[in-house]
């Protein structure tokens, strides 16, 4: 009997109910395409987080496992092993991580948080989990110390007390070191919080305690009293031992270091001011800034290293933060780019009582991680192999491409490897722990990030790793001198005039196009050869349409009229166009671009080389509008870009502007909106922030409506200030146009990169104000049926607007070869395809089988090789789109257009142009990103909504397949950087420095455990240092201590229950549950059940033992009381 599926019935009802009455879903269309994707093919989960930990606060290193841990102010943990082995964890409370301590070579980590909680992490699983937590309620944690190979954790508090925690059970010991016992009568005042705890390297029974006020106490753990106290009149920041345990060093708030003998008479044996000026009269040097941390490391041969951060003189105003390395008589001051958060010295041994032999220093900065080689002269830094430079300049946009051509990553790597800096340490990266995952995911993935300084970075993102491949600096194209000279008066934003706003990339042809905030578009070709470009090719475009009834357009000056033929002119009268201007020199101040293209020769190394620069210029004192949409097609040799005024199509092969048209003019006489003319605006001040990525583009929203209509062709070429009209062109003077203006209080509705949502979210499409502001929001090139009822495919450009309209433009391409260089590209508007609610986000096309139709592309060729013309053209021949209309003519349908707006999605059948499916995605929110993506089993529409939902819909049926409330939009950075790609991958910037990757594919979720790297690997602990014959004979070696006997419950009693609350964590069991899937799932589940049973039995055993101990204690007290009262009279009791 066939299984009844209520879900499919409900899906069918939903589709029918959401369709408009005009949409007819007949049985023929229903059975046309068999959809293969189902709901169980989708699952959403985070995969990996890349980049530098945002706002780091602490750091720890396991010298045996060679794993680095970094904690942040938001409670995140990032663990780093060898390149490619990274892990991200998060404390639920979100409190800042104030300190981290590894259980060295045990696969565990202790974290102390600002909310006075301590957590034990299990690192022996691919996704670390918390085993135990302890929450202090009466005292605030200030410092933690865990001796090597000890299970007792010392916790210092703000009150000056020290508590002990057993890291195995995470239970408090009854042994407490009270501040008043530690200092006794050495100070009349409270000594302040505990800032340091460490045991003597040669005697585990002696503990040094540093108090903030300047008092240091040497505590004898056995006798429970202080052996000695050391007082200094400046606050202490840190303390470090000499490995022999006879001396220690303190760093102070006045920039001094004091070295003490443990048997000293209360005075330091040496006081050093590393950066203080020594007065000639022998007085104390002037105070310096506090030395925040000091480390004292010894070597077998040579002088010890004293490494410190801070301590600079107060008169060094503007000097960068420094790390100072003192070795013998030499002092090296190493300047850092950012403030120092913490540093650690990496040593050859984990034993504190042996010569340390330091070989490197890991310096954690606010925005970088630096590792310094101590073994080489000059202290060079190691080349950092982690992808920590995402934020080198703030990310303004990003794109994600999965399943790229296989030769792309090697090509980018080969040109990128030549960009590497020299002077790094020749040694291997010292943080080398863990093992790579054994994943089977092998398709190439590339992430491209655009940055505020104009750089574009290409990253290899294959197999959940990330590595920078190549870096492109787009600012090299422009002359930087202008902004320096006119810094006080320039209208260009001095902050980020080169910021990247949108990127379009064709992986097959390797053509790249970027749009900047200064209203410029740069087109790049990829070359493996270095070249010097004498003159950068430039096109200047005016897209203002601010022309009133009596003025003629001034874009061509006085020469424009003579350059334009009359409407009845013969097409043959226009000669072949000249090449465009190659400079941007303009004497007319009102016709200037935002940035000046460099006029000197440009040396371009191998990689991406500029082919053409297109600039929108100022018109009549008005700055150009920022570009809001961009697309390129390498097969057609066209780039199209649009803004709130209209669109321009550029032929980058002939270096000409093919079309420059206002949005209203795209409709012709079929404009569905009744746009009323408004009075012209008064003279307005230019917008000073037009080039700022965070500013809106609220200037010059005026339009003109052309009286022309019908299928007319436009092809306009700009040369300096002249306008040349190509053959087959009809052009009507703009004086016949009428001018529209908008209320000044309207905010821009297209700037996705603003810090707040300023777009009008009304679903109504009849608002006059909105209509007048109609802007271009998306483009799509495809070979399709341009007109209703067409029987042949033609190259088309589809244009989506902010009012939800999709318009089609037919492209007439010249023949390949020499004719492509000479004959013009003809663009013919063919009318409106469909209208949706909200701004158009994405368009895509399917063939009659439901397979996605990729845009036609041109294979990559080396542009700088002067090959024979025939060979060159063979390589450059256009790849045809694999669509066979003849096989589907019986059904009278050959293609499906999938269109998604910020509110709904529709599927249009071509060439009949009928809507066959419609789905309302959201009513109360709006879509931020939508992509039609190729999954392993079919095609789907993926959407990210502003309310945090991630959804997938089947195509062409638009059945909801997945809807997960993933992440509410808390930051515009997420909206700006979120992107989907093929095979169920997605990413976004979760912080200014970190990229979060996720998957919505069930297959990837199932394989994720195998793909993740191992943090913990079995490594033998190095042997303890040899005590030597004489030290063993005379007792000069390290003294051990039975901490269990001293701190255990039998000798020290129980801790106060009100002091801290023990919270058992999910531990390894949760991680194992996640791994219990696949072939061995049943075995793993059985093992989990056994482990849970064992854990419960263990807890029962612990409770029984505790009850027995309590009974024994009660019996002992009762017996003592009986003996005490035995010989007393009743009135003496």
């Amino acid at each position: 009997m066939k299984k009844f599926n209520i879900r499919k019935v409900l899906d069918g009802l939903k589709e029918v109910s959401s369709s408009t009455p005009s949409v007819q879903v007949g049985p023929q269309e229903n059975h046309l395409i068999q959809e293969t994707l189902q709901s169980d093919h989708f699952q959403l989960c985070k995969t990996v987080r890349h980049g530098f930990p945002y706002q780091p606060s602490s750091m720890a290193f396991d010298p045996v496992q060679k794993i680095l841990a970094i904690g942040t102010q938001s409670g995140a943990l990032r663990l780093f092993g060898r390149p490619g082995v990274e892990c991200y964890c998060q404390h639920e409370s979100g409190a800042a991580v104030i300190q981290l301590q590894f259980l060295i070579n045990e696969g565990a980590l202790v974290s102390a948080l600002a909310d006075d909680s301590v957590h034990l992490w299990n690192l022996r699983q691919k996704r670390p989990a918390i085993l135990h937590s302890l929450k202090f309620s009466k005292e605030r944690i200030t410092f933690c110390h865990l001796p090597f190979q000890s299970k007792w954790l010392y916790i210092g508090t703000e009150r000056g007390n020290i508590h002990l925690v057993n890291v195995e059970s995470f239970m408090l010991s009854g042994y407490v070191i009270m501040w008043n016992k530690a200092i006794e009568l050495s100070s009349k005042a409270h000594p302040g919080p505990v800032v340091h705890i460490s045991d003597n390297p040669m005697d585990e029974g002696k503990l040094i305690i540093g108090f903030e006020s300047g008092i240091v106490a040497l505590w004898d753990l056995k006798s429970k009293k202080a052996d000695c106290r050391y007082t200094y009149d400046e606050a202490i920041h840190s303390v470090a031992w000499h490995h022999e345990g006879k001396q220690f060093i303190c760093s102070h708030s006045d920039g001094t270091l004091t070295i003490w003998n443990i048997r000293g008479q209360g005075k330091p044996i040496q006081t050093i001011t590393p950066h203080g000026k020594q007065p000639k009269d022998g007085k104390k040097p002037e105070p310096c800034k506090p030395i925040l941390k000091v480390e004292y490391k010894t070597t077998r041969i040579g002088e010890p290293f004293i490494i410190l951060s801070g301590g600079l003189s107060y008169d060094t105003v503007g000097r960068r933060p420094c790390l100072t390395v003192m070795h013998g008589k030499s002092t090296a001051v190493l300047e850092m780019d950012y403030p120092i958060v913490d540093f650690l010295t990496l040593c050859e041994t984990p034993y504190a009582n042996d010569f340390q032999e330091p070989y490197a220093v890991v310096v954690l900065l606010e925005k970088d991680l630096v590792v310094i080689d101590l073994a080489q002269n000059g202290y060079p830094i190691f080349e950092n192999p982690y992808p920590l430079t995402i934020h080198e300049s703030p990310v303004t946009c990003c794109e994600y491409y999965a399943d790229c051509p296989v030769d792309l990553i090697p090509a980018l790597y080969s040109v990128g490897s030549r960009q590497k800096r020299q002077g790094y340490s020749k040694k291997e990266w010292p943080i080398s722990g863990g093992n790579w995952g054994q994943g089977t995911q092998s398709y190439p993935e590339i992430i491209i990030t655009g940055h505020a300084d104009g750089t574009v970075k290409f990253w290899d993102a294959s197999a959940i790793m990330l590595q920078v491949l190549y870096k492109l600096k787009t600012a090299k194209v422009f002359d930087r001198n202008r902004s320096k000279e006119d810094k006080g008066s320039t209208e260009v934003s001095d902050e980020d005039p080169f910021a990247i706003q949108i990127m379009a990339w064709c992986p097959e042809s390797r053509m790249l196009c970027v749009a900047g905030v200064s209203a410029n578009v740069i087109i790049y070709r990829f070359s493996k050869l270095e070249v010097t470009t004498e003159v950068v090719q430039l096109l200047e475009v005016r897209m203002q349409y601010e022309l009133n009834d009596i003025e003629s357009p001034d874009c061509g000056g006085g020469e424009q009229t003579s350059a334009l033929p009359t409407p009845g002119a013969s097409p043959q009268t226009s000669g072949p166009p000249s090449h465009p201007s190659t400079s941007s020199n303009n004497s007319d101040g009102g016709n200037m671009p935002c940035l000046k293209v460099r006029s000197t020769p440009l040396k371009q190394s191998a990689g991406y080389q500029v082919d053409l620069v297109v600039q929108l210029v100022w018109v009549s004192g008005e700055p150009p509008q920022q570009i809001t949409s961009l697309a390129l097609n390498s097969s057609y040799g066209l780039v199209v870009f649009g803004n709130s005024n209209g669109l321009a199509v550029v032929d980058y092969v002939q270096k000409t502007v093919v079309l420059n048209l206002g949005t209203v003019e795209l409709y012709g006489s079929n404009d569905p909106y009744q746009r009323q003319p408004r009075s012209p605006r008064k003279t307005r001040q230019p917008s000073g922030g037009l080039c700022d990525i965070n500013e809106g583009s609220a200037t010059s929203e005026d339009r003109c409506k052309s009286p022309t209509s019908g299928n007319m062709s436009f092809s306009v070429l700009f040369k300096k200030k002249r306008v040349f009209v190509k053959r087959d062109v009809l052009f009507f003077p703009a004086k016949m146009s009428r001018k529209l203006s908008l209320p000044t209080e309207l905010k821009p509705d297209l700037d996705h990169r603003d810090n707040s949502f300023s777009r009008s979210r009304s679903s109504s499409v009849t608002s006059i104000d909105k209509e007048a502001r109609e802007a271009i929001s998306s483009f799509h090139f495809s070979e399709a049926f341009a007109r209703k009822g067409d029987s042949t495919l033609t190259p088309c450009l589809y244009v989506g607007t902010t009012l939800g309209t999709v318009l089609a433009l037919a492209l007439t391409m010249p023949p390949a070869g020499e004719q492509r260089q000479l004959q013009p590209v003809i663009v013919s508007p063919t009318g409106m395809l469909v209208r949706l609610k909200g701004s158009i986000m994405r368009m895509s096309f399917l063939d009659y089988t439901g397979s996605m139709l990729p845009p036609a592309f041109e294979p990559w060729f080396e542009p700088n090789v002067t090959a024979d013309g025939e060979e060159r053209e063979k390589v450059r021949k256009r790849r045809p789109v694999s669509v066979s209309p003849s096989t589907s003519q019986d059904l009278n349908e050959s293609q499906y257009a999938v269109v998604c707006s910020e509110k709904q999605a529709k599927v249009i059948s071509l060439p009949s142009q009928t809507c066959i499916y419609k789905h309302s995605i959201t009513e109360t929110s709006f879509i931020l990103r939508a992509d039609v993506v190729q999954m392993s089993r079919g095609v789907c529409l993926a959407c990210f909504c502003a309310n945090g939902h991630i959804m997938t819909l089947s195509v062409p049926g638009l059945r909801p397949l997945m809807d997960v409330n993933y992440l509410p939009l808390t930051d515009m950075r997420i909206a700006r950087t979120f992107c989907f790609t093929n095979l169920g991958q997605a990413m976004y910037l979760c912080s200014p420095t970190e990229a979060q990757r996720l998957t919505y594919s069930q297959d990837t979720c199932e394989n994720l455990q195998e793909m993740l790297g191992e943090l913990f690997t079995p490594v033998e602990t190095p042997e303890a240092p040899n005590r030597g014959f004489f030290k063993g004979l005379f007792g000069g070696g390290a003294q051990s201590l039975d901490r269990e006997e001293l701190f255990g419950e039998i000798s020290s009693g129980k801790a106060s229950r009100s002091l801290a609350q023990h919270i058992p964590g999910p531990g390894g069991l949760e991680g194992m549950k996640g791994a219990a899937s696949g072939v061995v799932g049943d075995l793993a589940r059985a093992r989990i059940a056994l482990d849970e049973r064992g854990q419960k039995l263990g807890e029962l055993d612990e409770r029984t033992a505790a009850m027995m101990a309590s009974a024994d204690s009660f019996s002992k007290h009762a017996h003592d009381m009986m003996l005490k009262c035995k010989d007393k009279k009743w009135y003496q009791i």
Side-chain angles (χ1 to χ4, degrees), residues 43-351:
Q43 182 183 342
L44 190 72
C45 68
K46 293 181 181 179
T47 52
V48 68
R49 183 171 291 201
H50 300 296
F52 183 76
Y54 184 54
Q55 294 180 329
S57 55
S58 56
M59 177 172 61
F61 183 71
D62 187 325
V64 180
Q65 287 287 320
K66 297 193 182 301
I67 296 287
L68 181 75
I70 296 176
T72 73
Q73 293 180 25
S74 59
L77 271 183
R78 292 286 298 279
L79 296 129
F80 297 91
R82 65 179 61 194
V85 178
E86 293 181 36
C87 187
Y88 162 76
C89 315
Q90 177 69 48
H91 293 91
E92 283 187 15
S93 67
V97 181
I98 58 173
Q99 201 172 348
L100 294 169
Q101 291 271 313
F102 273 103
L103 277 68
I104 295 174
N105 205 27
E106 295 289 334
L109 175 74
V110 172
S111 59
L113 271 58
D115 65 351
D116 308 309
S117 61
V118 186
H119 307 271
L120 177 66
W121 290 85
N122 176 19
L123 306 183
R124 290 176 178 251
Q125 56 195 51
K126 291 191 175 183
R127 293 230 186 227
I130 292 176
L131 290 168
H132 298 282
S133 298
L134 201 63
K135 181 78 167 68
F136 282 75
S137 54
K138 290 188 175 180
E139 297 200 52
R140 306 221 62 181
I141 298 171
T142 55
F143 194 87
C144 297
H145 171 61
L146 181 65
F148 178 43
Q149 294 182 325
S150 166
K151 66 176 185 179
W152 290 96
L153 173 72
Y154 299 95
I155 297 179
T157 69
E158 198 173 45
R159 290 186 182 178
N161 304 323
I162 295 175
H163 303 277
L164 287 101
V165 176
N166 185 317
V167 291
E168 290 179 354
S169 62
F170 243 55
M171 302 300 288
L172 277 168
S173 166
Y175 191 110
V176 182
I177 303 172
M178 305 299 288
W179 67 270
N180 52 349
K181 288 275 187 180
I183 67 164
E184 287 188 340
L185 301 177
S186 62
S187 172
K188 294 179 181 178
H190 190 281
V194 175
V195 295
H196 181 84
I197 310 167
S198 60
D199 45 356
N200 188 319
M202 286 295 180
D203 188 353
E204 294 178 351
K206 300 290 170 59
L207 194 71
I208 205 162
I209 306 165
F211 296 96
E212 189 181 66
S213 64
I215 299 173
V216 177
L218 184 65
W219 183 264
D220 189 316
L221 290 167
K222 288 182 180 176
S223 63
K224 300 184 180 181
K225 65 179 184 179
D227 281 358
C228 197
R229 296 174 187 87
Y230 317 88
T231 306
Y232 193 72
D233 54 3
E234 292 292 338
I236 291 175
H237 284 278
S238 70
V239 183
W241 280 103
H242 187 281
H243 85 275
E244 292 178 347
K246 295 176 182 176
Q247 289 181 353
F248 62 89
I249 187 169
C250 300
S251 72
H252 299 277
S253 58
D254 63 345
T256 59
L257 298 172
T258 53
I259 300 176
W260 305 75
N261 257 334
I262 60 168
R263 301 187 186 280
Q265 300 301 313
K267 287 188 177 181
I269 58 170
Q270 190 178 359
T271 302
I272 309 166
T273 309
H275 297 285
K277 294 177 182 176
Q278 299 294 336
K280 293 179 181 178
D281 54 6
K283 293 182 180 178
K284 281 184 69 176
E286 292 180 5
C288 296
K289 295 175 184 177
I291 296 176
L292 302 175
K293 185 175 182 179
V294 64
E295 292 203 345
Y296 197 7
K297 303 297 180 184
T298 54
T299 57
R300 292 183 190 278
I301 303 168
E303 299 287 331
F305 282 88
I306 297 176
I307 304 165
L308 56 107
S309 64
L312 293 177
S313 174
Y314 279 105
D315 60 6
T316 54
V317 179
R319 190 168 179 180
R320 293 192 292 180
C322 295
L323 184 82
T324 306
V325 181
M326 301 169 69
H327 186 216
K329 293 183 179 179
S330 73
T331 300
V333 180
L334 309 176
E335 288 193 340
M336 302 291 159
D337 291 334
Y338 305 102
I340 297 171
V341 176
D342 197 3
F343 73 88
L344 293 170
T345 309
L346 309 189
C347 301
E348 297 288 352
T349 177
Y351 294 94

Side-chain angles (χ1 to χ4, degrees), residues 295 387 397 471 485 632 931 1028 1030:
E295 292 203 345
C397 58
K471 182 177 176 181
E485 292 169 4
L632 77 84
D931 288 284
F1030 289 105

Side-chain angles (χ1 to χ4, degrees), residues 656-677:
T656 64
V657 178
V658 174
L659 180 71
N660 183 359
L661 204 60
T663 315
V664 179
E665 294 174 305
L666 286 169
Y667 290 96
S669 61
N670 301 317
D671 190 351
Y673 308 111
Q674 300 301 314
R675 306 172 203 257
Q676 299 299 323

Side-chain angles (χ1 to χ4, degrees), residues 122 151 267 284 504 552 583 609 621 820 861 890 945 1039:
N122 176 19
K151 66 176 185 179
K267 287 188 177 181
K284 281 184 69 176
S552 62
S583 77
Q609 298 170 353
R820 179 65 183 88
F861 65 93
D890 308 342
C945 208
Q1039 303 293 317

Side-chain angles (χ1 to χ4, degrees), residues 396-397 451-454 474 478 491-502 514-522 593-595 615-616 618 623-628 643 687-697 751 753-754 976:
T396 53
C397 58
H451 299 262
D453 64 352
T474 65
F478 301 104
E491 297 296 342
V492 177
S493 168
D494 290 325
E495 293 180 7
D496 300 315
F498 308 108
I500 306 298
Q501 192 157 357
I502 315 173
V514 297
V517 294
S518 299
N520 59 297
V521 175
I522 313 174
C594 291
L595 296 173
Q615 285 189 306
L616 299 184
W618 288 53
Q625 298 294 288
Q626 288 187 359
I627 293 163
T628 56
N643 63 11
S687 168
L690 82 143
C691 296
D692 189 345
I693 197 76
N694 294 320
E695 292 288 326
S697 51
D751 192 1
R753 290 150 185 82
D754 194 15
R976 193 171 63 237

Side-chain angles (χ1 to χ4, degrees), residues 509-548:
S509 67
R510 305 181 190 172
M511 290 296 298
L512 173 69
C513 187
V514 297
V517 294
S518 299
N520 59 297
V521 175
I522 313 174
I523 301 162
Y524 289 91
R525 289 185 185 272
F526 184 85
S527 174
K528 294 181 179 179
L529 304 175
E530 190 176 288
V531 70
T532 299
T533 305
E534 293 297 326
V535 181
V536 176
Q537 295 280 298
L538 171 66
L539 281 175
E540 290 184 348
V541 180
R542 298 164 58 93
M543 290 181 68
Q544 284 303 103
Y545 296 95
E546 288 221 36
L547 309 174
N548 59 29

